[in-house]
Amino acid sequence: DGGITQSPKYLFRKEGQNVTLSCEQNLNHDAMYWYRQDPGQGLRLIYYSQIVNDFQKGDIAEGYSVSREKKESFPLTVTSAQKNPTAFYLCASSIPLPSIPGQWNQPQHFGDGTRLSIL
Amino acid sequence: AQTVTQSQPEMSVQEAETVTLSCTYDTSENNYYLFWYKQPPSRQMILVIRQEAYKQQNATENRFSVNFQKAAKSFSLKISDSQLGDTAMYFCAFMKGSGGGADGLTFGKGTHLIIQP
């Protein structure tokens, strides 16, 4: 079955350490996204990528980095510059909407998430 | 920039009752899409229902329906005959229609819905 796989499910980071969260999709979607979820908050966009080798900052990109070397993969690195990394991270993918209303038929698909905690 | 506001942090109703979750949004866009997502304790994000802004007819999906008031920028979700499995966080989300919508979703802070037996 097609879907989005995030790994690991749980991740622990030591102070000053960079960690990388994996996101792989086999849906043949062009666009991929990373969201962060904190308690009492909705999801906030960290980075997104519309095509291979291209990505843009979202609303809360500071302290994070991404790469998009393959269509299927969009890893997120939480760097030591991110001072409050404890959160639930969700990866998503979609086919970009057409510019003509009425021809869109695909929702944004989400992975099962990675919970990152500080040791 | 877009904003999405959900003014009810938590709601609780009895099983089989009808419940309405509120959502308002602010945007200067004319072409956009609105969504309700459900997040059960498993943390999986599940699309409940979606609405295209250019459509005047309110979307329905089985027990779920929306009241979309474009002029008022309001997008409420009604759950009829509520079931215990409806217990979850519910998020309202906005997506621009321009640029293919590929720059992501803007979410509200969510409403925790509890269905009591």
Side-chain angles (χ1 to χ4, degrees):
Chain A
D1 289 338
I4 300 176
T5 301
Q6 288 188 242
S7 62
K9 194 174 179 69
Y10 300 96
L11 186 59
F12 298 91
R13 194 191 89 170
K14 294 180 181 179
E15 293 287 343
Q17 186 181 45
N18 293 353
V19 292
T20 298
L21 284 61
S22 171
C23 177
E24 303 278 333
Q25 55 99 358
N26 60 3
L27 299 164
N28 200 33
H29 285 172
D30 291 307
M32 297 188 73
Y33 312 83
W34 275 105
Y35 294 91
R36 169 178 171 144
Q37 186 177 20
D38 294 284
Q41 301 272 348
L43 281 66
R44 291 181 291 169
L45 185 64
I46 305 172
Y47 267 99
Y48 62 99
S49 168
Q50 299 182 17
I51 56 172
V52 174
N53 293 322
D54 187 47
F55 47 83
Q56 286 77 39
K57 292 181 179 180
D59 300 320
I60 55 167
E62 186 174 350
Y64 300 96
S65 65
V66 293
S67 62
R68 187 84 187 278
E69 298 176 1
K70 299 187 299 182
K71 186 176 185 177
E72 302 80 13
S73 178
F74 191 42
L76 173 74
T77 296
V78 184
T79 75
S80 57
Q82 173 49 246
K83 298 306 179 187
N84 185 22
T86 297
F88 188 64
Y89 291 86
L90 281 158
C91 178
S93 71
S94 70
I95 298 173
L97 303 174
S99 58
I100 301 174
Q103 294 187 6
W104 170 74
N105 194 35
Q106 298 293 330
Q108 199 166 100
H109 293 256
F110 284 86
D112 289 338
T114 293
R115 172 158 292 284
L116 175 62
S117 302
I118 294 294
L119 284 177
Chain B
Q2 289 67 232
T3 59
V4 177
T5 302
Q6 293 180 249
S7 59
Q8 304 151 312
E10 185 171 290
M11 297 185 70
S12 180
V13 299
Q14 295 294 120
E15 192 176 6
E17 288 184 348
T18 294
V19 59
T20 298
L21 279 58
S22 300
C23 172
T24 58
Y25 60 94
D26 190 25
T27 184
S28 58
E29 301 281 331
N30 191 50
N31 178 24
Y32 53 89
Y33 302 81
L34 295 163
F35 308 86
W36 279 98
Y37 278 89
K38 170 185 178 181
Q39 188 180 44
S42 66
R43 307 297 295 268
Q44 185 183 13
M45 293 292 286
I46 302 166
L47 179 65
V48 174
I49 199 165
R50 63 189 182 221
Q51 175 82 41
E52 292 91 335
Y54 73 93
K55 287 186 176 179
Q56 293 185 347
Q57 185 175 8
N58 290 323
T60 62
E61 289 286 343
N62 300 314
R63 298 184 295 108
F64 299 88
S65 61
V66 299
N67 183 5
F68 173 49
Q69 301 289 328
K70 189 173 184 179
K73 294 180 180 174
S74 171
F75 183 61
S76 61
L77 174 70
K78 185 172 82 171
I79 305 174
S80 303
D81 186 27
S82 57
Q83 301 173 359
L84 296 178
D86 295 334
T87 293
M89 285 292 293
Y90 286 81
F91 293 99
C92 179
F94 173 100
M95 176 186 280
K96 289 192 301 183
S98 58
D103 55 355
L105 295 165
T106 299
F107 287 86
K109 292 188 176 183
T111 296
H112 185 205
L113 176 63
I114 301 169
I115 307 300
Q116 304 277 8

